[in-house]
Amino acid sequence: NLLSHAGMDYVDDHFYVDHYQFPTGGWDYFDWRIRDSSVVSTEMFTLTGLARYRDIRRPYVVSEYNQAFPNRRGAEIIPTVATFAAAQDWDGLFFFDFVDGDNWTTAPSGFRLNGDWPKLVLVGQSAKLYRTGQVRPAIGSAIGAMSQAAIAEIAALRKRERRGLPDTPPSGWELEKSYVQRMGITIDGTSVAAVAAPTSGSAEVRYLKEDGQLRIVTPTLVGVAGRMHPGQKIDLDRFSLEVLDPVRDHATVFISPVDDVPIEQSRRFLVAVPGQIFGSQPGSAPVRPK
């Protein structure tokens, strides 16, 4: 994209977490696989891959992203990406998509948001945190440098999934710092990535790599997403969370005031605790959710 978008005013990108795989090739709706993976606990490198190779001099937009049905952790994708994009100071986000095709339904299917209620209930809080500065841009930075030749080599060797990132990332590009320092590159003719020493970042958002967990604590928003354990207690400053479900291993929880005041002053809260989504009831016509 750095080469093909060279004449554009901004750089655009797409990504998917746990995209369908088709063993027989093509789009076979009866023969596909997913890994049921989590963007927070196992695939955060997908987001950092985008951030590390962003041309820091130009606006940056992600115009497609999703963690599609029937991934059981799908509720985490929109708030996680919105938080990451806010911290990285990205310029636009477009979820793909609202309705896939020309069929409106209340049951989940494919990439569509319509009918995928765990994702849908978090759209408002996610949009607000991104658009109104509830999560502020990171104050730290780790800006690298790449040459045109290095970019061409990444494309030629089809290293798209990791954007050419080596197995051991350069100092300053650790996953734990994803939400506290802005990442990107400049294209200046040198083939060696010279990563600036990171400065301290905001403590509003913490990514705990070993725990596979994202935590957000701001004056007007509290949230957690990722891996959880039965009986685990999580301290979110103004709130604490305990997992009571004996088998639940992931959760997404967001709490925000409805009355647009700081949490300490609020009398009414929106608490979103979505679970996983199920498919349509077999034999139902018209299709209805399980």
Side-chain angles (χ1 to χ4, degrees):
N1 284 10
L2 291 166
L3 300 179
S4 65
H5 291 50
M8 291 180 59
D9 295 325
Y10 72 98
V11 177
D12 174 76
D13 215 331
H14 302 163
F15 77 92
Y16 290 87
V17 173
D18 201 16
H19 194 289
Y20 304 113
Q21 302 294 316
F22 301 96
T24 57
W27 284 79
D28 188 338
Y29 290 95
F30 299 97
D31 189 1
W32 50 267
R33 309 285 188 274
I34 64 169
R35 299 183 300 275
D36 202 28
S37 56
S38 162
V39 64
V40 180
S41 60
T42 60
E43 296 200 34
M44 190 62 76
F45 69 85
T46 302
L47 291 179
T48 55
L50 297 171
R52 288 164 182 153
Y53 294 102
R54 172 202 171 174
D55 183 348
I56 203 70
R57 303 166 302 176
R58 290 192 286 166
Y60 183 70
V61 173
V62 172
S63 60
E64 283 189 26
Y65 73 95
N66 201 338
Q67 186 172 326
F69 170 81
N71 184 294
R72 291 181 295 174
R73 295 87 163 91
E76 69 190 5
I77 186 68
I78 295 179
T80 298
V81 173
T83 306
F84 189 90
Q88 292 295 319
D89 200 23
W90 290 355
D91 298 275
L93 290 176
F94 295 78
F95 181 83
F96 184 88
D97 56 0
F98 186 72
V99 175
D100 191 8
D102 57 1
N103 296 317
W104 294 73
T105 178
T106 56
S109 175
F111 297 96
R112 68 180 63 179
L113 185 63
N114 176 246
D116 198 336
W117 311 115
K119 291 191 182 82
L120 195 60
V121 299
L122 286 164
V123 168
Q125 284 165 304
S126 302
K128 186 170 184 177
L129 78 86
Y130 175 66
R131 294 171 59 184
T132 67
Q134 284 184 321
V135 173
R136 297 174 295 181
I139 60 175
S141 63
I143 310 302
M146 291 187 71
S147 67
Q148 295 279 355
I151 295 168
E153 180 185 11
I154 290 171
L157 297 179
R158 302 186 67 81
K159 296 180 179 180
R160 172 177 168 80
E161 196 63 35
R162 291 179 61 85
R163 264 58 175 185
L165 187 70
D167 291 335
T168 303
S171 174
W173 277 357
E174 294 90 348
L175 282 175
E176 294 90 335
K177 297 177 181 176
S178 303
Y179 286 84
V180 297
Q181 62 183 22
R182 292 181 63 200
M183 293 178 280
I185 60 167
T186 58
I187 305 169
D188 66 354
T190 175
S191 60
V192 179
V195 180
T199 58
S200 61
S202 168
E204 291 182 340
V205 182
R206 295 179 60 208
Y207 177 59
L208 308 176
K209 177 184 174 183
E210 297 304 319
D211 297 329
Q213 199 175 96
L214 177 67
R215 299 183 184 183
I216 305 163
V217 178
T218 78
T220 54
L221 178 71
V222 170
V224 61
R227 192 184 304 135
M228 311 281 175
H229 307 289
Q232 181 182 12
K233 293 184 179 180
I234 300 169
D235 181 17
L236 297 172
D237 191 15
R238 302 163 182 85
F239 296 91
S240 62
L241 207 72
E242 182 177 354
V243 181
L244 301 180
D245 189 329
V247 297
R248 187 161 187 159
D249 61 355
H250 276 71
T252 302
V253 180
F254 272 71
I255 305 169
S256 55
V258 177
D259 39 13
D260 277 330
V261 296
I263 285 175
E264 288 89 345
Q265 303 171 24
S266 179
R267 300 293 299 272
R268 299 173 63 226
F269 297 98
L270 173 61
V271 182
V273 193
Q276 71 185 74
I277 187 70
F278 293 92
S280 57
Q281 191 68 28
S284 61
V287 172
R288 60 184 176 85
K290 275 187 179 177

